[in-house]
C-alpha cells in the first residue's frame, strides 16, 4: 500500500512538472492520502495552491513572484522560521500551526505587502502567540482555535486597514472584552462564533464604521452593547444560538433606535437563514413577500456569511 501511494505521489508531481501548472487543488482521503512533495512550491508558474492542513510544504529557496494564494501552509514547532520574503506577491494565506511557536517565529509576515487575507488555525498547541508583526495592508483576518485572552485583541485592533474580522471556535477566551479606544478604525464586518464571552464592554467609538455584526453560538453573552445604536454605518445584526433573552432584547433596542432599514434587514436575514419565514409577524412579512425573490435570498445569505 505504501509503495502504491508513493508511486501515485511521484506520478502526480511528474505530471505537474510536465505542464506549466498555475493552479493546484488537492483533497485528503483517509484511506489513501496523496503525499505531495515538500518542494511543490518550487513549481515555476504556480499561482494558486490549496492543500489539506496536514500536508507539509517548504517555502521555495528562490523568490517566486507568481504565487498569490496558499492554503494551507503548515508550520510546526520543529520547523525553521519560514521566510515569507520568498513569496512576496502572496495575496491570500492560510497558516495551520502545530506545536508552540515563539512570537517571532512568523515575524517575516511583515514583508508580505500585498497580502490582504490571512487565516490562522491551530492544532496541537499548548498556547498560541500572535506574531510580532502583521502584513501592513491586511484587510481580512480569521482566527480559529487560538484560545487567546481578550486583551490580545488590542494588537489586532491596531491593524490600520483591517475591514473583516472573523473569530471562530474559541479564537478568544474569557468572560470580559473591553476594546481599546484606539482600535478598529476601518473594521466593517465582525463575526464571533463559538465563544464564552459574557460581558462585551464596548461603545460606538470602538467600532466607528462597523456595518455587519454576526454573533453565533455565544451562549453566555449577556447583551449586545446598546451604544452600537450610535454607529451610523451599522445595517445588519445576525444572532444565532445566543440563548440569553437580553441579547435579543438589546439587539432589538439597537434596531429600534436606528433606521427602519436595519430592523427589516435584521428580521429578514435572520429568517432567510433559518428558513422560518412563516414565523415572522404578518405586519412585517406581508409587505415583504412580493420582494422575496431568489436573487434576494442569495444576497441575504451572502451577507450573513460575511
Amino acid at each position: 500500500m505504501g509503495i502504491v501511494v508513493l508511486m501515485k505521489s511521484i506520478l502526480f508531481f511528474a505530471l505537474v512538472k510536465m505542464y506549466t501548472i498555475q493552479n493546484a487543488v488537492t483533497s485528503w482521503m483517509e484511506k489513501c492520502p496523496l503525499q505531495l512533495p515538500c518542494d511543490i512550491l518550487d513549481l515555476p508558474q504556480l499561482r494558486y495552491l490549496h492543500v489539506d492542513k496536514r500536508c507539509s510544504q517548504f517555502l521555495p529557496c528562490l523568490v517566486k513572484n507568481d504565487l498569490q494564494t496558499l492554503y494551507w501552509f503548515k508550520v510546526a514547532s520543529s520547523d525553521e522560521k519560514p521566510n515569507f520574503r520568498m513569496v512576496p506577491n502572496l495575496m491570500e494565506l492560510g497558516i495551520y500551526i502545530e506545536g508552540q511557536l515563539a512570537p517571532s517565529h512568523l515575524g517575516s509576515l511583515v514583508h508580505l505587502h500585498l497580502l490582504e487575507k490571512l487565516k490562522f488555525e491551530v492544532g496541537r498547541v499548548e498556547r498560541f502567540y500572535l506574531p510580532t508583526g502583521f502584513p501592513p495592508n491586511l484587510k481580512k483576518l480569521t482566527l480559529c482555535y487560538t484560545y487567546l485572552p481578550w486583551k490580545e485583541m488590542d494588537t489586532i485592533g491596531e491593524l490600520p486597514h483591517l475591514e473583516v474580522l472573523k473569530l471562530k471556535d474559541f479564537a478568544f477566551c474569557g468572560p470580559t472584552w473591553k476594546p481599546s479606544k484606539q482600535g478598529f478604525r476601518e473594521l466593517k464586518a465582525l463575526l464571533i462564533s463559538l465563544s464564552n464571552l459574557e460581558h462585551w464592554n464596548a461603545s460606538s467609538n470602538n467600532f466607528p464604521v462597523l456595518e455587519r455584526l454576526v454573533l453565533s453560538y455565544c451562549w453566555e453573552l449577556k447583551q449586545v452593547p446598546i451604544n452600537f445604536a450610535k454607529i451610523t454605518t451599522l445595517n445588519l445584526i445576525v444572532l444565532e444560538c445566543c440563548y440569553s433573552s437580553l441579547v435579543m432584547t438589546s439587539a432589538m433596542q439597537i434596531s429600534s433606535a436606528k433606521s427602519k432599514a436595519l430592523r427589516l434587514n435584521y428580521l429578514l436575514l435572520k429568517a432567510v437563514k433559518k428558513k422560518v419565514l412563516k414565523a415572522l409577524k404578518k405586519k412585517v412579512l406581508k409587505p415583504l413577500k412580493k420582494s422575496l425573490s431568489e436573487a434576494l435570498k442569495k444576497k441575504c445569505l451572502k451577507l450573513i456569511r460575511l
Side-chain angles (χ1 to χ4, degrees):
M1 183 63 179
I3 296 176
V4 173
V5 172
L6 179 60
M7 291 300 295
K8 286 183 178 181
S9 300
I10 294 174
L11 178 60
F12 171 82
F13 200 54
L15 290 172
V16 170
K17 287 281 190 181
M18 189 181 301
Y19 298 96
T20 56
I21 295 296
Q22 295 184 0
N23 303 283
V25 181
T26 68
S27 60
W28 187 277
M29 296 176 290
E30 291 292 340
K31 294 183 179 180
C32 186
L34 181 63
Q35 302 292 334
L36 293 177
C38 292
D39 61 346
I40 189 173
L41 293 178
D42 283 326
L43 290 173
Q45 298 185 36
L46 187 65
R47 295 175 57 194
Y48 178 98
L49 179 65
H50 195 146
V51 297
D52 189 272
K53 299 180 183 72
R54 288 170 285 185
C55 292
S56 297
Q57 310 92 38
F58 297 126
L59 290 178
C61 298
L62 300 176
V63 174
K64 297 296 180 183
N65 290 315
D66 290 330
L67 190 63
Q68 298 177 7
T69 301
L70 175 57
Y71 293 106
W72 288 82
F73 179 68
K74 188 174 79 170
V75 180
S77 56
S78 58
D79 296 340
E80 294 183 1
K81 293 181 181 181
N83 184 5
F84 290 106
R85 291 186 183 92
M86 297 295 102
V87 284
N89 294 324
L90 270 182
M91 300 179 69
E92 297 186 26
L93 173 63
I95 298 178
Y96 180 71
I97 297 174
E98 283 193 347
Q100 187 166 316
L101 305 179
S104 61
H105 199 89
L106 299 175
S108 62
L109 283 171
V110 298
H111 300 291
L112 295 177
H113 294 276
L114 299 182
L115 195 76
E116 295 186 352
K117 188 174 182 179
L118 177 62
K119 296 182 179 181
F120 284 108
E121 185 169 329
V122 173
R124 296 185 294 272
V125 177
E126 184 175 337
R127 182 178 177 184
F128 170 76
Y129 295 93
L130 289 175
T132 52
F134 283 87
N137 296 302
L138 191 65
K139 292 184 177 180
K140 298 181 180 180
L141 177 63
T142 300
L143 298 173
C144 186
Y145 295 115
T146 49
Y147 295 92
L148 289 163
W150 285 107
K151 64 180 181 180
E152 296 289 335
M153 186 64 80
D154 291 346
T155 300
I156 295 176
E158 293 174 357
L159 298 176
H161 304 291
L162 189 65
E163 296 181 359
V164 177
L165 177 60
K166 299 181 182 181
L167 308 176
K168 299 181 177 181
D169 301 312
F170 294 102
F172 283 79
C173 292
T176 304
W177 176 23
K178 185 177 181 179
S180 169
K181 295 180 180 179
Q182 307 301 321
F184 301 108
R185 297 294 92 186
E186 300 294 328
L187 193 68
K188 297 179 180 179
L190 174 61
L191 177 145
I192 304 177
S193 177
L194 198 57
S195 169
N196 64 345
L197 180 63
E198 296 180 34
H199 306 285
W200 190 4
N201 302 328
S203 70
S204 57
N205 294 328
N206 299 129
F207 305 92
V209 297
L210 189 67
E211 298 176 2
R212 291 169 284 170
L213 174 63
V214 179
L215 301 175
S216 177
Y217 295 94
C218 297
W219 298 300
E220 299 180 44
L221 184 63
K222 302 304 180 185
Q223 66 176 18
V224 180
I226 299 297
N227 281 335
F228 280 13
K230 297 179 181 179
I231 303 177
T232 58
T233 54
L234 186 61
N235 57 48
L236 172 65
I237 298 176
V238 177
L239 304 177
E240 181 181 12
C241 296
C242 298
Y243 295 147
S244 173
S245 60
L246 291 177
V247 174
M248 179 68 73
T249 301
S250 57
M252 292 308 297
Q253 288 177 350
I254 293 171
S255 64
S256 297
K258 290 180 64 63
S259 66
K260 185 177 181 181
L262 172 63
R263 182 161 59 256
L264 293 182
N265 277 340
Y266 166 73
L267 291 173
L268 173 60
L269 290 168
K270 181 174 181 289
V272 169
K273 187 180 182 185
K274 294 187 175 182
K275 298 180 181 179
V276 289
L277 286 171
K278 293 181 180 180
L280 287 176
K281 295 181 180 179
K282 291 183 179 180
K283 63 180 181 180
V284 175
L285 179 59
K286 189 174 181 180
L288 293 176
K289 273 186 176 180
K290 294 181 180 180
S291 63
L292 289 177
S293 63
E294 290 300 318
L296 179 59
K297 290 180 181 179
K298 291 180 180 179
K299 183 178 179 181
C300 293
L301 291 173
K302 185 178 180 180
L303 283 171
I304 290 177
R305 296 190 192 102
L306 291 182

